Amino acid sequence: MTNDEARALTAFTTSQKTLRNKLASATIGRTEFARKIKRCSLDSCRGMCCYDGASVDAATATKIQKVSDQHRPRFSSMGLSLPDVVIEKNEWNGVVGFRTAVRPFTFRSQVENFPEHFNETACVFLLDDGRCGLQVLSEQDGKHPWFYKPFTCWLQPIKLTDDAIRLYDEESDPNKLPNYDGFVIRTCCGRNEPNGRPAAEVLREELEFLSKLLDRDLLAELATKSLDDSEPTEPSADGNQASG
């Protein structure tokens, strides 16, 4: 490991730099992050957002494969039988990219109200108890829990576009299609919860970590942003119906 890697916030230094450049002036909407949600519980959701794998960019895909090859015995000790190739090409709604490989997972018998349009496969790094093997590896190494975890996974239900930081709702979820009834809004952590708390509070840890990656203070921006500021409208370009 290089000195730069040792000081890095994540294992995905290339993706981190790309993200910082792309989102240096990205908008973030106070109205979206005022929506009431609840923090999910793995006891009830079993990591349902990991269904069908997690979309990743090319640099992240390469790094995850390398980490998997280096630490295969450790993943095995967690109970994960990883395939030789843990990344596969994927196409979603016309967008071609990469995602983590998947394996069968019995979500429907374990998760109450598991969406009918979600299938029963999960990211190969999903442990049977709903935890993420990449997060467990990070913790074992004494690093931040999200060090080896792809951005799309720990950010869930937050989504990033080329120029905006989004929290989609029933009206804006770009994956709400004629043949697919939405992703973010159907996961436990992304659903509207009348008795919940504002998303900016619930997702404080995610927003603080993203702030470090972007060298911004997103919570301060949300606190000072005028309520009548225009909201971002661009749909997510990651093509990811599952964030892991």
Side-chain angles (χ1 to χ4, degrees):
M1 177 180 290
T2 67
N3 289 335
D4 285 344
E5 288 175 328
R7 292 192 298 268
L9 293 170
T10 81
F12 312 110
T13 52
T14 299
S15 299
Q16 179 181 329
K17 291 176 182 177
T18 300
L19 199 70
R20 177 175 292 197
N21 291 334
K22 183 172 73 172
L23 298 180
S25 58
T27 59
I28 181 168
R30 182 173 177 179
T31 300
E32 287 190 347
F33 283 87
R35 182 162 72 84
K36 290 185 177 181
I37 62 173
K38 288 183 179 180
R39 174 71 71 177
C40 65
S41 168
L42 292 182
D43 289 340
S44 56
C45 82
R46 311 304 290 181
M48 67 183 291
C49 64
C50 304
Y51 109 89
D52 211 28
S55 292
V56 294
D57 62 19
T60 297
T62 299
K63 185 65 177 182
I64 290 177
Q65 183 65 57
K66 183 177 180 180
V67 168
S68 301
D69 293 339
Q70 289 177 332
H71 302 293
R72 195 166 295 273
R74 295 173 65 187
F75 286 116
S76 180
S77 71
M78 299 176 201
L80 293 176
S81 180
L82 297 179
D84 291 340
V85 179
V86 297
I87 298 294
E88 58 189 32
K89 288 188 175 181
N90 182 50
E91 186 272 333
W92 168 251
N93 199 28
V95 177
V96 178
F98 298 95
R99 72 172 182 182
T100 55
V102 298
R103 66 182 180 92
F105 198 91
T106 55
F107 282 116
R108 211 168 300 283
S109 62
Q110 300 185 58
V111 180
E112 185 177 359
N113 298 320
F114 187 70
E116 288 295 326
H117 63 291
F118 284 15
N119 60 41
E120 290 192 291
T121 63
C123 171
V124 291
F125 293 101
L126 182 66
L127 296 166
D128 288 340
D129 61 7
R131 292 181 301 155
C132 171
L134 290 166
Q135 180 162 327
V136 173
L137 185 71
S138 302
E139 293 167 339
Q140 288 178 350
D141 282 353
K143 300 180 182 297
H144 189 283
W146 299 334
F147 186 80
Y148 294 120
K149 197 167 184 175
F151 300 162
T152 51
C153 300
W154 60 261
L155 277 167
Q156 169 67 19
I158 299 169
K159 291 294 182 182
L160 307 177
T161 74
D162 287 339
D163 59 4
I165 300 163
R166 304 295 307 273
L167 181 65
Y168 294 124
D169 59 19
E170 287 277 352
E171 299 300 321
S172 60
D173 188 337
N175 288 319
K176 193 171 183 182
L177 306 166
N179 61 345
Y180 189 87
D181 193 32
F183 173 66
V184 167
I185 56 174
R186 304 303 176 216
T187 59
C188 293
C189 57
R191 296 169 181 164
N192 284 327
E193 295 286 355
N195 297 321
R197 294 183 293 118
E201 296 178 17
V202 176
L203 302 172
R204 183 180 187 88
E205 187 176 3
E206 286 81 357
L207 290 169
E208 286 179 337
F209 195 63
L210 182 59
S211 293
K212 291 179 181 179
L213 298 185
L214 302 183
D215 195 21
R216 294 172 57 176
D217 189 341
L218 298 173
L219 288 167
E221 292 176 32
L222 286 171
T224 59
K225 193 175 180 67
S226 172
L227 278 172
D228 61 1
D229 281 352
S230 60
E231 295 293 329
T233 58
E234 181 187 346
S236 172
D238 62 12
N240 183 29
Q241 74 269 33
S243 295

